[in-house]
Amino acid sequence: MSHKGFKHIRGLFLLAAMPFAVNLAYAEEQHTTQPEANYQAGSSPLAQEEMHQNINPKAPPMTAKEFARAKQIYFERCAGCHGVLRKGATGKPLTTDKTLANGTDYLKVFIKYGSPAGMPNWGTSGELSDDEVDMMARYIQQEPPTPPEYSLADIEKTRKEYIPVSKRPTKKMNNYNIQNIFSVTLRDSGEVALIDGDSKKIINIVKTGYAVHISRISASGRYLYVIGRDARINLIDLWMEKPDNVAEIKVGLEARSVETSKFKGWEDKIAVAGTYWPPQYVIMDGDTLKPKKVVSTRGMTVDNEYHPEPRVASIVASHYKPEFVINAKESGKIMMVDYSDLNNLKTTTLDAAKFLHDGGFDSTGRYFLVAANASNKIAVVDTKEDKLAALVDVGKIPHPGRGANFVHPKFGPVWATSHLGAEDVTLIGTDPVKHKAQAWKVVEVLKGQGGGSLFIKTHPKSKNLWVDTPLNPDAKVNQSVAVYDINNLSKPAQIVDIAACAKDLGEGAKRVVQPEYNQAGDEVWFSVWSAKDKKSAIVVVDDKTRSCKAVITDPKLITPTGKFNVHNTQHDIY
Protein backbone atom coordinates (compact mmCIF):
# COMPACT_ATOMS: atom_id res chain seq x y z
CA MET A 1 0.00 0.00 0.00
CA SER A 2 1.50 3.34 -1.00
CA HIS A 3 1.48 6.43 1.20
CA LYS A 4 -1.06 7.87 -1.21
CA GLY A 5 -3.30 4.98 -0.25
CA PHE A 6 -3.81 6.50 3.18
CA LYS A 7 -5.14 9.86 2.04
CA HIS A 8 -8.83 10.47 2.54
CA ILE A 9 -10.13 10.76 -1.01
CA ARG A 10 -13.82 11.42 -1.38
CA GLY A 11 -15.61 8.73 -3.28
CA LEU A 12 -12.87 6.19 -3.99
CA PHE A 13 -14.45 2.99 -5.16
CA LEU A 14 -15.23 0.25 -2.68
CA LEU A 15 -13.13 -2.79 -3.43
CA ALA A 16 -14.52 -4.65 -0.49
CA ALA A 17 -17.30 -7.15 -0.63
CA MET A 18 -19.62 -4.83 1.23
CA PRO A 19 -20.77 -1.21 1.27
CA PHE A 20 -18.96 1.12 3.63
CA ALA A 21 -19.16 4.63 5.00
CA VAL A 22 -16.44 5.84 7.29
CA ASN A 23 -17.39 9.49 7.05
CA LEU A 24 -20.78 9.91 8.65
CA ALA A 25 -21.42 13.05 6.66
CA TYR A 26 -21.43 10.83 3.60
CA ALA A 27 -23.01 7.78 5.23
CA GLU A 28 -26.07 7.78 3.03
CA GLU A 29 -23.89 8.03 -0.08
CA GLN A 30 -21.70 5.07 0.94
CA HIS A 31 -18.44 6.79 0.04
CA THR A 32 -15.24 5.18 1.18
CA THR A 33 -11.53 5.79 1.63
CA GLN A 34 -8.49 4.13 0.11
CA PRO A 35 -7.30 2.66 3.43
CA GLU A 36 -10.65 0.97 3.84
CA ALA A 37 -10.55 -0.35 0.31
CA ASN A 38 -7.03 -1.66 0.83
CA TYR A 39 -7.93 -3.24 4.18
CA GLN A 40 -11.06 -4.95 2.96
CA ALA A 41 -9.91 -5.96 -0.48
CA GLY A 42 -6.76 -4.53 -2.01
CA SER A 43 -6.05 -5.51 -5.58
CA SER A 44 -7.73 -8.80 -6.41
CA PRO A 45 -5.54 -11.82 -7.16
CA LEU A 46 -7.79 -12.32 -10.20
CA ALA A 47 -6.26 -9.28 -11.90
CA GLN A 48 -3.31 -11.33 -13.14
CA GLU A 49 -5.21 -14.49 -14.10
CA GLU A 50 -5.61 -15.57 -17.69
CA MET A 51 -9.27 -15.52 -18.62
CA HIS A 52 -11.46 -16.39 -21.55
CA GLN A 53 -12.16 -13.28 -23.63
CA ASN A 54 -15.59 -13.14 -25.24
CA ILE A 55 -15.92 -9.79 -27.01
CA ASN A 56 -19.50 -8.71 -27.73
CA PRO A 57 -19.84 -7.71 -31.42
CA LYS A 58 -22.31 -4.99 -30.42
CA ALA A 59 -19.79 -3.38 -28.09
CA PRO A 60 -17.44 -0.56 -29.13
CA PRO A 61 -14.08 -1.83 -30.39
CA MET A 62 -11.10 -2.46 -28.12
CA THR A 63 -7.58 -3.64 -28.84
CA ALA A 64 -6.31 -6.75 -27.07
CA LYS A 65 -3.90 -4.54 -25.12
CA GLU A 66 -6.71 -2.22 -24.01
CA PHE A 67 -8.87 -5.18 -23.00
CA ALA A 68 -6.06 -6.68 -20.90
CA ARG A 69 -5.37 -3.38 -19.14
CA ALA A 70 -9.07 -2.70 -18.52
CA LYS A 71 -9.51 -6.20 -17.12
CA GLN A 72 -6.70 -5.53 -14.67
CA ILE A 73 -8.24 -2.22 -13.55
CA TYR A 74 -11.65 -3.85 -13.16
CA PHE A 75 -10.39 -6.65 -10.93
CA GLU A 76 -8.17 -4.35 -8.92
CA ARG A 77 -10.85 -1.74 -8.25
CA CYS A 78 -14.33 -2.83 -9.22
CA ALA A 79 -14.91 -6.59 -8.92
CA GLY A 80 -15.26 -6.56 -5.14
CA CYS A 81 -18.42 -4.48 -5.45
CA HIS A 82 -19.86 -5.36 -8.88
CA GLY A 83 -18.80 -9.03 -8.86
CA VAL A 84 -16.40 -11.09 -10.93
CA LEU A 85 -19.08 -11.75 -13.54
CA ARG A 86 -20.55 -8.24 -13.10
CA LYS A 87 -23.84 -9.65 -11.87
CA GLY A 88 -23.75 -7.21 -8.96
CA ALA A 89 -22.91 -7.69 -5.31
CA THR A 90 -22.85 -4.65 -3.05
CA GLY A 91 -22.75 -2.60 -6.27
CA LYS A 92 -25.22 -2.62 -9.13
CA PRO A 93 -25.00 -5.15 -11.99
CA LEU A 94 -22.87 -4.11 -14.97
CA THR A 95 -24.17 -6.71 -17.40
CA THR A 96 -24.14 -5.86 -21.11
CA ASP A 97 -27.92 -5.57 -21.37
CA LYS A 98 -27.58 -2.49 -19.15
CA THR A 99 -24.23 -1.07 -20.23
CA LEU A 100 -24.89 -1.31 -23.98
CA ALA A 101 -28.23 0.43 -23.51
CA ASN A 102 -26.53 3.28 -21.63
CA GLY A 103 -23.79 3.77 -24.22
CA THR A 104 -20.19 4.96 -24.00
CA ASP A 105 -20.83 8.66 -23.43
CA TYR A 106 -23.17 8.07 -20.50
CA LEU A 107 -20.83 5.54 -18.92
CA LYS A 108 -17.85 7.89 -19.25
CA VAL A 109 -19.68 10.61 -17.33
CA PHE A 110 -20.75 8.14 -14.66
CA ILE A 111 -17.24 6.73 -14.23
CA LYS A 112 -15.56 10.13 -14.25
CA TYR A 113 -17.89 12.03 -11.91
CA GLY A 114 -19.48 9.27 -9.84
CA SER A 115 -22.92 9.51 -8.24
CA PRO A 116 -24.49 10.36 -4.87
CA ALA A 117 -25.58 6.72 -4.58
CA GLY A 118 -22.01 5.59 -4.01
CA MET A 119 -20.28 5.34 -7.39
CA PRO A 120 -16.96 7.13 -6.91
CA ASN A 121 -15.60 9.94 -9.03
CA TRP A 122 -12.81 7.96 -10.67
CA GLY A 123 -11.83 10.67 -13.13
CA THR A 124 -12.09 13.83 -11.08
CA SER A 125 -10.34 12.17 -8.12
CA GLY A 126 -7.31 11.60 -10.35
CA GLU A 127 -7.42 7.82 -10.03
CA LEU A 128 -8.15 7.32 -13.73
CA SER A 129 -7.09 9.47 -16.69
CA ASP A 130 -9.61 10.52 -19.34
CA ASP A 131 -8.22 7.82 -21.65
CA GLU A 132 -8.64 5.19 -18.93
CA VAL A 133 -12.20 6.38 -18.22
CA ASP A 134 -12.99 5.99 -21.93
CA MET A 135 -11.37 2.56 -21.95
CA MET A 136 -13.37 1.38 -18.93
CA ALA A 137 -16.61 2.66 -20.45
CA ARG A 138 -15.93 0.52 -23.50
CA TYR A 139 -14.73 -2.46 -21.46
CA ILE A 140 -17.91 -2.88 -19.42
CA GLN A 141 -19.86 -3.10 -22.68
CA GLN A 142 -17.91 -6.26 -23.57
CA GLU A 143 -18.95 -9.64 -22.26
CA PRO A 144 -17.15 -10.19 -18.93
CA PRO A 145 -14.13 -12.49 -19.08
CA THR A 146 -14.47 -15.59 -16.92
CA PRO A 147 -11.75 -16.72 -14.50
CA PRO A 148 -10.86 -20.41 -14.46
CA GLU A 149 -12.62 -22.86 -12.17
CA TYR A 150 -10.73 -24.81 -9.50
CA SER A 151 -11.52 -28.53 -9.23
CA LEU A 152 -10.44 -30.93 -6.52
CA ALA A 153 -7.71 -32.19 -8.86
CA ASP A 154 -6.52 -28.62 -9.52
CA ILE A 155 -6.38 -27.99 -5.79
CA GLU A 156 -4.46 -31.20 -5.06
CA LYS A 157 -1.80 -30.23 -7.62
CA THR A 158 -0.95 -27.15 -5.54
CA ARG A 159 -0.52 -29.03 -2.27
CA LYS A 160 2.92 -29.18 -0.69
CA GLU A 161 3.74 -31.23 2.37
CA TYR A 162 7.06 -29.87 3.62
CA ILE A 163 7.23 -32.17 6.62
CA PRO A 164 5.13 -35.36 6.51
CA VAL A 165 3.09 -36.21 9.59
CA SER A 166 5.38 -39.18 10.33
CA LYS A 167 8.39 -36.86 10.63
CA ARG A 168 6.76 -34.16 12.73
CA PRO A 169 7.38 -33.86 16.48
CA THR A 170 5.47 -36.22 18.76
CA LYS A 171 5.66 -33.67 21.59
CA LYS A 172 6.31 -29.94 22.00
CA MET A 173 9.97 -29.29 21.13
CA ASN A 174 10.27 -25.66 22.28
CA ASN A 175 10.03 -23.73 25.54
CA TYR A 176 7.47 -21.22 24.35
CA ASN A 177 4.18 -20.73 26.13
CA ILE A 178 2.27 -21.67 22.98
CA GLN A 179 -1.03 -20.55 24.47
CA ASN A 180 0.27 -16.97 24.57
CA ILE A 181 1.76 -16.83 21.07
CA PHE A 182 0.25 -14.23 18.72
CA SER A 183 -0.08 -14.83 14.98
CA VAL A 184 0.21 -11.33 13.50
CA THR A 185 -0.78 -10.61 9.90
CA LEU A 186 1.90 -8.72 7.96
CA ARG A 187 -0.58 -7.71 5.33
CA ASP A 188 1.52 -6.39 2.45
CA SER A 189 4.54 -8.68 2.79
CA GLY A 190 2.68 -11.99 2.50
CA GLU A 191 3.78 -13.20 5.92
CA VAL A 192 2.72 -13.69 9.51
CA ALA A 193 4.86 -12.84 12.51
CA LEU A 194 4.73 -15.33 15.36
CA ILE A 195 5.32 -13.27 18.50
CA ASP A 196 5.93 -14.60 22.01
CA GLY A 197 3.33 -12.87 24.15
CA ASP A 198 5.43 -13.33 27.29
CA SER A 199 8.73 -11.86 26.08
CA LYS A 200 7.26 -9.68 23.26
CA LYS A 201 9.94 -11.12 20.95
CA ILE A 202 9.43 -12.30 17.37
CA ILE A 203 9.75 -16.09 17.20
CA ASN A 204 9.61 -16.42 13.42
CA ILE A 205 8.45 -14.60 10.30
CA VAL A 206 6.60 -17.22 8.25
CA LYS A 207 5.95 -16.95 4.51
CA THR A 208 2.23 -17.19 3.73
CA GLY A 209 -0.28 -16.07 1.14
CA TYR A 210 -0.76 -12.40 0.29
CA ALA A 211 -2.88 -10.18 2.57
CA VAL A 212 -3.66 -12.79 5.19
CA HIS A 213 -7.23 -12.41 6.36
CA ILE A 214 -7.38 -14.68 9.40
CA SER A 215 -5.42 -17.17 11.45
CA ARG A 216 -7.22 -20.09 13.09
CA ILE A 217 -6.00 -22.57 15.70
CA SER A 218 -6.75 -26.29 15.71
CA ALA A 219 -8.79 -27.66 18.60
CA SER A 220 -5.66 -29.10 20.26
CA GLY A 221 -3.81 -25.79 19.99
CA ARG A 222 -0.99 -27.37 17.99
CA TYR A 223 -1.68 -26.30 14.41
CA LEU A 224 -2.07 -22.77 13.09
CA TYR A 225 -4.00 -22.33 9.83
CA VAL A 226 -3.39 -19.11 7.90
CA ILE A 227 -5.25 -18.10 4.72
CA GLY A 228 -4.34 -15.27 2.34
CA ARG A 229 -6.39 -13.29 -0.14
CA ASP A 230 -4.79 -15.39 -2.88
CA ALA A 231 -6.47 -18.51 -1.39
CA ARG A 232 -3.19 -19.98 -0.17
CA ILE A 233 -3.45 -21.86 3.13
CA ASN A 234 -0.37 -22.41 5.26
CA LEU A 235 -0.30 -25.01 8.03
CA ILE A 236 2.14 -24.07 10.80
CA ASP A 237 3.20 -26.57 13.48
CA LEU A 238 3.62 -24.79 16.81
CA TRP A 239 5.27 -27.87 18.38
CA MET A 240 8.42 -27.48 16.27
CA GLU A 241 11.58 -26.13 17.86
CA LYS A 242 11.03 -23.07 15.67
CA PRO A 243 7.37 -23.06 14.57
CA ASP A 244 7.11 -23.01 10.78
CA ASN A 245 5.21 -24.27 7.73
CA VAL A 246 4.67 -28.01 7.44
CA ALA A 247 2.17 -27.93 4.56
CA GLU A 248 0.38 -25.55 2.21
CA ILE A 249 -2.29 -25.61 -0.48
CA LYS A 250 -4.06 -23.20 -2.81
CA VAL A 251 -7.82 -23.76 -2.70
CA GLY A 252 -8.83 -21.26 -5.41
CA LEU A 253 -7.93 -17.86 -6.76
CA GLU A 254 -9.34 -15.61 -4.04
CA ALA A 255 -10.40 -16.44 -0.48
CA ARG A 256 -10.94 -15.15 3.06
CA SER A 257 -11.86 -17.93 5.50
CA VAL A 258 -10.48 -21.13 7.04
CA GLU A 259 -11.55 -23.19 10.06
CA THR A 260 -10.87 -26.57 11.69
CA SER A 261 -13.05 -29.21 13.33
CA LYS A 262 -13.68 -28.68 17.04
CA PHE A 263 -16.36 -31.18 18.02
CA LYS A 264 -15.23 -33.79 20.55
CA GLY A 265 -13.55 -36.72 18.82
CA TRP A 266 -12.83 -34.69 15.68
CA GLU A 267 -10.09 -32.43 17.04
CA ASP A 268 -7.50 -31.53 14.35
CA LYS A 269 -8.98 -34.03 11.87
CA ILE A 270 -10.80 -31.79 9.38
CA ALA A 271 -10.16 -28.34 7.90
CA VAL A 272 -12.37 -26.26 5.63
CA ALA A 273 -11.74 -23.16 3.55
CA GLY A 274 -14.19 -20.91 1.76
CA THR A 275 -13.32 -19.10 -1.44
CA TYR A 276 -14.48 -15.96 -3.21
CA TRP A 277 -13.51 -17.42 -6.57
CA PRO A 278 -14.56 -19.96 -7.50
CA PRO A 279 -17.59 -19.56 -5.21
CA GLN A 280 -17.22 -22.77 -3.21
CA TYR A 281 -15.79 -24.34 -0.08
CA VAL A 282 -13.17 -27.07 0.23
CA ILE A 283 -13.00 -29.72 2.96
CA MET A 284 -9.53 -31.11 3.71
CA ASP A 285 -7.64 -33.42 6.06
CA GLY A 286 -6.61 -31.33 9.04
CA ASP A 287 -2.98 -32.43 9.31
CA THR A 288 -1.99 -32.71 5.63
CA LEU A 289 -4.44 -30.33 3.88
CA LYS A 290 -5.26 -33.08 1.37
CA PRO A 291 -8.53 -31.95 -0.28
CA LYS A 292 -11.45 -34.34 0.17
CA LYS A 293 -14.54 -32.46 -1.03
CA VAL A 294 -15.35 -29.36 -3.07
CA VAL A 295 -18.85 -27.88 -2.82
CA SER A 296 -20.18 -24.98 -4.90
CA THR A 297 -22.21 -22.17 -3.31
CA ARG A 298 -23.87 -21.06 -6.56
CA GLY A 299 -27.63 -20.92 -6.28
CA MET A 300 -30.62 -18.96 -5.06
CA THR A 301 -30.47 -16.00 -2.69
CA VAL A 302 -32.79 -15.34 0.25
CA ASP A 303 -34.76 -13.19 -2.23
CA ASN A 304 -35.22 -16.26 -4.46
CA GLU A 305 -33.01 -14.93 -7.24
CA TYR A 306 -30.19 -16.94 -8.80
CA HIS A 307 -26.70 -15.67 -8.02
CA PRO A 308 -23.68 -17.07 -9.91
CA GLU A 309 -21.00 -16.22 -7.33
CA PRO A 310 -22.05 -16.17 -3.65
CA ARG A 311 -18.69 -15.77 -1.93
CA VAL A 312 -17.93 -17.62 1.30
CA ALA A 313 -17.42 -14.94 3.92
CA SER A 314 -16.86 -16.58 7.30
CA ILE A 315 -16.74 -20.09 8.77
CA VAL A 316 -16.90 -21.28 12.36
CA ALA A 317 -16.81 -24.80 13.81
CA SER A 318 -19.72 -25.94 15.95
CA HIS A 319 -19.02 -27.13 19.49
CA TYR A 320 -22.29 -29.07 19.59
CA LYS A 321 -22.09 -31.18 16.42
CA PRO A 322 -19.50 -32.28 13.85
CA GLU A 323 -20.52 -29.31 11.70
CA PHE A 324 -19.12 -26.20 10.09
CA VAL A 325 -21.23 -23.04 9.94
CA ILE A 326 -20.53 -21.61 6.47
CA ASN A 327 -21.81 -18.15 5.52
CA ALA A 328 -22.41 -17.26 1.87
CA LYS A 329 -22.19 -13.51 1.47
CA GLU A 330 -24.35 -12.56 -1.53
CA SER A 331 -26.99 -15.27 -1.09
CA GLY A 332 -27.55 -14.48 2.59
CA LYS A 333 -27.66 -18.20 3.33
CA ILE A 334 -25.99 -20.05 6.20
CA MET A 335 -25.01 -23.68 5.63
CA MET A 336 -24.64 -26.13 8.52
CA VAL A 337 -22.32 -28.70 6.95
CA ASP A 338 -21.97 -32.08 8.67
CA TYR A 339 -18.38 -33.29 8.11
CA SER A 340 -18.82 -36.69 9.80
CA ASP A 341 -19.57 -38.46 6.48
CA LEU A 342 -18.07 -36.72 3.47
CA ASN A 343 -19.37 -39.36 1.05
CA ASN A 344 -22.93 -38.59 2.12
CA LEU A 345 -22.60 -34.90 2.88
CA LYS A 346 -25.53 -33.55 4.87
CA THR A 347 -26.19 -29.82 4.79
CA THR A 348 -28.89 -27.81 6.54
CA THR A 349 -29.39 -24.42 4.91
CA LEU A 350 -30.78 -21.44 6.82
CA ASP A 351 -32.15 -18.27 5.25
CA ALA A 352 -30.63 -15.22 6.95
CA ALA A 353 -30.03 -11.86 5.21
CA LYS A 354 -27.61 -10.13 2.82
CA PHE A 355 -24.62 -9.73 2.82
CA LEU A 356 -23.24 -12.11 5.42
CA HIS A 357 -19.81 -11.17 6.67
CA ASP A 358 -18.13 -12.01 9.99
CA GLY A 359 -19.24 -12.87 13.49
CA GLY A 360 -18.66 -14.96 16.59
CA PHE A 361 -20.22 -17.14 19.27
CA ASP A 362 -22.05 -16.02 22.39
CA SER A 363 -20.39 -16.79 25.73
CA THR A 364 -21.88 -20.32 25.86
CA GLY A 365 -20.58 -21.28 22.41
CA ARG A 366 -24.06 -22.40 21.34
CA TYR A 367 -25.26 -19.36 19.40
CA PHE A 368 -23.36 -17.89 16.46
CA LEU A 369 -24.02 -14.21 15.69
CA VAL A 370 -23.05 -12.98 12.22
CA ALA A 371 -23.34 -9.58 10.58
CA ALA A 372 -25.54 -9.18 7.51
CA ASN A 373 -24.05 -5.81 6.75
CA ALA A 374 -26.08 -4.84 3.67
CA SER A 375 -29.25 -5.43 5.67
CA ASN A 376 -28.04 -3.81 8.91
CA LYS A 377 -28.89 -6.97 10.81
CA ILE A 378 -27.27 -9.59 13.02
CA ALA A 379 -28.33 -13.18 12.29
CA VAL A 380 -28.40 -15.51 15.30
CA VAL A 381 -27.85 -19.22 14.65
CA ASP A 382 -28.62 -21.94 17.20
CA THR A 383 -25.86 -24.46 16.45
CA LYS A 384 -27.43 -27.05 18.76
CA GLU A 385 -30.78 -27.05 16.97
CA ASP A 386 -29.49 -25.96 13.52
CA LYS A 387 -32.06 -23.18 13.40
CA LEU A 388 -32.10 -19.45 12.84
CA ALA A 389 -32.95 -18.09 16.27
CA ALA A 390 -33.39 -14.43 15.27
CA LEU A 391 -32.60 -11.57 12.91
CA VAL A 392 -31.77 -8.49 14.96
CA ASP A 393 -31.90 -4.97 13.50
CA VAL A 394 -28.77 -2.96 14.36
CA GLY A 395 -26.95 0.17 13.15
CA LYS A 396 -25.54 0.92 9.72
CA ILE A 397 -23.13 -1.72 8.39
CA PRO A 398 -22.30 -3.80 11.47
CA HIS A 399 -18.71 -5.08 11.56
CA PRO A 400 -18.11 -7.06 14.77
CA GLY A 401 -15.04 -9.10 13.91
CA ARG A 402 -15.82 -11.91 16.34
CA GLY A 403 -17.76 -9.52 18.57
CA ALA A 404 -17.45 -9.17 22.35
CA ASN A 405 -19.18 -11.10 25.17
CA PHE A 406 -19.71 -9.78 28.68
CA VAL A 407 -22.29 -9.60 31.47
CA HIS A 408 -24.26 -6.37 31.42
CA PRO A 409 -24.93 -5.06 34.95
CA LYS A 410 -28.65 -4.76 34.15
CA PHE A 411 -29.47 -7.04 31.21
CA GLY A 412 -27.24 -10.04 31.84
CA PRO A 413 -25.10 -11.73 29.15
CA VAL A 414 -24.73 -9.67 25.97
CA TRP A 415 -22.78 -9.78 22.72
CA ALA A 416 -21.58 -6.50 21.22
CA THR A 417 -20.86 -5.22 17.73
CA SER A 418 -19.47 -1.95 16.44
CA HIS A 419 -20.21 -0.52 12.98
CA LEU A 420 -18.52 0.70 9.85
CA GLY A 421 -21.20 3.22 8.97
CA ALA A 422 -22.28 4.48 12.39
CA GLU A 423 -20.82 5.46 15.73
CA ASP A 424 -23.05 2.91 17.46
CA VAL A 425 -21.81 0.15 19.73
CA THR A 426 -24.80 -2.19 19.89
CA LEU A 427 -25.39 -4.65 22.75
CA ILE A 428 -27.62 -7.69 22.10
CA GLY A 429 -28.98 -9.92 24.88
CA THR A 430 -27.83 -13.55 24.53
CA ASP A 431 -29.44 -15.45 27.42
CA PRO A 432 -32.81 -16.97 26.43
CA VAL A 433 -33.04 -18.90 29.73
CA LYS A 434 -32.49 -16.49 32.62
CA HIS A 435 -33.01 -13.25 30.65
CA LYS A 436 -35.64 -14.33 28.16
CA ALA A 437 -37.16 -10.85 27.77
CA GLN A 438 -33.82 -9.48 26.54
CA ALA A 439 -32.76 -12.45 24.40
CA TRP A 440 -31.92 -11.54 20.79
CA LYS A 441 -32.94 -7.93 21.30
CA VAL A 442 -30.90 -4.75 21.34
CA VAL A 443 -30.72 -3.85 25.02
CA GLU A 444 -28.46 -0.79 24.78
CA VAL A 445 -26.63 1.33 22.21
CA LEU A 446 -23.44 3.06 23.32
CA LYS A 447 -22.00 6.11 21.63
CA GLY A 448 -18.63 5.48 20.02
CA GLN A 449 -16.03 7.78 18.47
CA GLY A 450 -17.57 7.54 15.01
CA GLY A 451 -17.98 5.25 12.04
CA GLY A 452 -15.13 3.22 10.64
CA SER A 453 -14.84 0.59 13.35
CA LEU A 454 -13.58 -2.87 12.41
CA PHE A 455 -13.19 -4.67 15.72
CA ILE A 456 -14.54 -4.74 19.26
CA LYS A 457 -13.04 -6.80 22.07
CA THR A 458 -13.19 -7.77 25.74
CA HIS A 459 -12.11 -10.76 27.85
CA PRO A 460 -13.78 -12.78 30.63
CA LYS A 461 -11.14 -11.54 33.10
CA SER A 462 -11.51 -7.90 32.05
CA LYS A 463 -13.97 -5.15 32.90
CA ASN A 464 -13.09 -3.15 29.79
CA LEU A 465 -14.65 -3.05 26.31
CA TRP A 466 -12.29 -1.78 23.58
CA VAL A 467 -13.48 -0.41 20.21
CA ASP A 468 -11.21 0.63 17.33
CA THR A 469 -12.02 3.08 14.49
CA PRO A 470 -9.15 2.62 11.99
CA LEU A 471 -11.17 3.55 8.92
CA ASN A 472 -12.56 6.81 10.20
CA PRO A 473 -11.20 9.69 8.06
CA ASP A 474 -10.29 11.80 11.11
CA ALA A 475 -6.69 11.06 12.15
CA LYS A 476 -7.43 11.78 15.81
CA VAL A 477 -10.14 9.14 15.70
CA ASN A 478 -8.37 6.48 13.65
CA GLN A 479 -5.19 6.72 15.74
CA SER A 480 -7.03 6.18 19.00
CA VAL A 481 -9.50 3.76 20.57
CA ALA A 482 -12.51 4.04 22.84
CA VAL A 483 -12.64 1.98 26.04
CA TYR A 484 -15.76 1.50 28.16
CA ASP A 485 -16.13 0.45 31.79
CA ILE A 486 -18.41 -2.60 31.58
CA ASN A 487 -19.61 -2.04 35.16
CA ASN A 488 -20.55 1.57 34.46
CA LEU A 489 -21.66 1.85 30.84
CA SER A 490 -23.44 5.14 31.48
CA LYS A 491 -20.01 6.75 31.81
CA PRO A 492 -18.59 8.10 28.52
CA ALA A 493 -15.82 6.09 26.92
CA GLN A 494 -12.22 6.99 27.66
CA ILE A 495 -10.28 7.80 24.48
CA VAL A 496 -6.78 6.32 24.48
CA ASP A 497 -4.27 7.69 21.96
CA ILE A 498 -2.59 4.42 20.99
CA ALA A 499 -0.52 5.87 18.14
CA ALA A 500 1.07 8.34 20.56
CA CYS A 501 2.53 5.38 22.45
CA ALA A 502 4.65 4.52 19.39
CA LYS A 503 6.54 7.81 19.39
CA ASP A 504 9.40 7.01 17.03
CA LEU A 505 7.57 5.78 13.93
CA GLY A 506 8.04 8.97 11.94
CA GLU A 507 5.69 9.74 9.07
CA GLY A 508 2.78 7.46 8.30
CA ALA A 509 -0.94 7.04 8.79
CA LYS A 510 -0.61 5.17 12.13
CA ARG A 511 -4.13 3.77 12.00
CA VAL A 512 -4.87 1.70 15.09
CA VAL A 513 -6.57 -1.60 14.37
CA GLN A 514 -7.81 -4.74 16.12
CA PRO A 515 -7.58 -5.03 19.87
CA GLU A 516 -6.55 -8.55 20.94
CA TYR A 517 -6.06 -9.78 24.49
CA ASN A 518 -3.23 -11.95 25.74
CA GLN A 519 -3.94 -15.29 27.35
CA ALA A 520 -4.16 -13.86 30.87
CA GLY A 521 -6.59 -11.11 29.85
CA ASP A 522 -4.49 -8.35 31.42
CA GLU A 523 -2.94 -6.93 28.21
CA VAL A 524 -4.51 -5.63 25.01
CA TRP A 525 -2.44 -5.59 21.81
CA PHE A 526 -3.07 -3.06 19.03
CA SER A 527 -1.57 -2.74 15.56
CA VAL A 528 -0.38 0.74 14.56
CA TRP A 529 -0.80 0.31 10.82
CA SER A 530 1.06 2.47 8.31
CA ALA A 531 2.03 2.00 4.67
CA LYS A 532 4.49 -0.73 3.72
CA ASP A 533 7.24 1.85 3.11
CA LYS A 534 6.65 3.42 6.56
CA LYS A 535 7.26 2.17 10.07
CA SER A 536 4.50 0.30 11.87
CA ALA A 537 4.32 -1.11 15.39
CA ILE A 538 2.37 -3.16 17.89
CA VAL A 539 1.40 -1.36 21.08
CA VAL A 540 0.67 -3.35 24.23
CA VAL A 541 -1.69 -1.67 26.70
CA ASP A 542 -2.20 -2.56 30.36
CA ASP A 543 -5.88 -3.49 30.50
CA LYS A 544 -6.35 -2.39 34.11
CA THR A 545 -4.67 1.01 33.94
CA ARG A 546 -5.40 1.57 30.22
CA SER A 547 -1.85 2.87 29.83
CA CYS A 548 0.89 1.96 27.36
CA LYS A 549 2.97 -0.97 28.56
CA ALA A 550 5.23 -1.92 25.63
CA VAL A 551 5.89 -1.07 21.98
CA ILE A 552 7.05 -3.79 19.60
CA THR A 553 8.90 -2.49 16.55
CA ASP A 554 11.00 -4.28 13.96
CA PRO A 555 11.78 -3.63 10.27
CA LYS A 556 10.12 -6.96 9.57
CA LEU A 557 6.77 -5.80 10.99
CA ILE A 558 5.40 -4.59 7.65
CA THR A 559 1.77 -3.41 7.74
CA PRO A 560 0.70 -5.43 10.80
CA THR A 561 -3.08 -5.69 11.05
CA GLY A 562 -4.90 -8.73 12.50
CA LYS A 563 -3.51 -10.43 15.62
CA PHE A 564 -4.67 -13.82 16.87
CA ASN A 565 -3.75 -15.05 20.33
CA VAL A 566 -3.54 -18.85 20.35
CA HIS A 567 -5.49 -19.41 23.57
CA ASN A 568 -8.28 -16.95 22.80
CA THR A 569 -8.65 -18.07 19.18
CA GLN A 570 -8.57 -21.75 20.11
CA HIS A 571 -11.31 -21.36 22.73
CA ASP A 572 -13.44 -18.70 20.99
CA ILE A 573 -12.76 -16.15 23.73
CA TYR A 574 -13.76 -12.62 22.83
Side-chain angles (χ1 to χ4, degrees), residues 363-377:
S363 58
T364 69
R366 173 172 174 172
Y367 297 95
F368 174 64
L369 295 92
V370 60
N373 47 49
S375 305
N376 301 327
K377 297 179 185 293

Side-chain angles (χ1 to χ4, degrees), residues 255-429:
R256 298 292 179 96
S257 53
V258 66
E259 182 60 291
T260 72
S261 52
K262 296 200 173 169
F263 186 64
K264 187 175 181 179
W266 288 90
E267 296 91 342
D268 296 23
K269 290 186 177 181
I270 303 289
V272 63
T275 53
Y276 270 25
W277 189 271
Q280 60 194 29
Y281 59 89
V282 181
I283 300 175
M284 301 158 280
D285 285 337
D287 54 0
T288 66
L289 301 183
K290 183 175 179 61
K292 310 295 286 188
K293 195 88 173 180
V294 180
V295 182
S296 173
T297 58
R298 293 179 170 102
M300 306 304 285
T301 70
V302 291
D303 299 327
N304 293 313
E305 296 178 352
Y306 177 77
H307 201 290
E309 49 174 313
R311 297 171 285 186
V312 176
S314 57
I315 305 174
V316 295
S318 172
H319 299 275
Y320 282 81
K321 296 179 180 181
E323 288 183 339
F324 292 121
V325 184
I326 299 178
N327 300 275
K329 185 180 289 286
E330 282 78 17
S331 68
K333 293 187 179 255
I334 301 172
M335 293 156 283
M336 316 294 288
V337 179
D338 186 335
Y339 52 74
S340 63
D341 184 357
L342 298 184
N343 290 323
N344 299 283
L345 195 68
K346 180 183 177 182
T347 302
T348 301
T349 303
L350 312 178
D351 284 358
K354 297 175 179 178
F355 293 119
L356 296 173
H357 190 59
D358 207 355
F361 286 104
D362 77 312
S363 58
T364 69
R366 173 172 174 172
Y367 297 95
F368 174 64
L369 295 92
V370 60
N373 47 49
S375 305
N376 301 327
K377 297 179 185 293
I378 297 293
V380 183
V381 177
D382 184 344
T383 63
K384 184 177 181 179
E385 300 292 337
D386 281 3
K387 293 181 179 179
L388 188 71
L391 281 174
V392 185
D393 291 319
V394 293
K396 189 173 181 64
I397 316 173
H399 194 287
R402 307 303 296 274
N405 290 298
F406 60 92
V407 178
H408 192 284
K410 181 178 180 181
F411 300 114
V414 297
W415 178 91
T417 182
S418 52
H419 298 76
L420 289 166
E423 64 182 5
D424 300 347
V425 177
T426 302
L427 313 184
I428 298 172

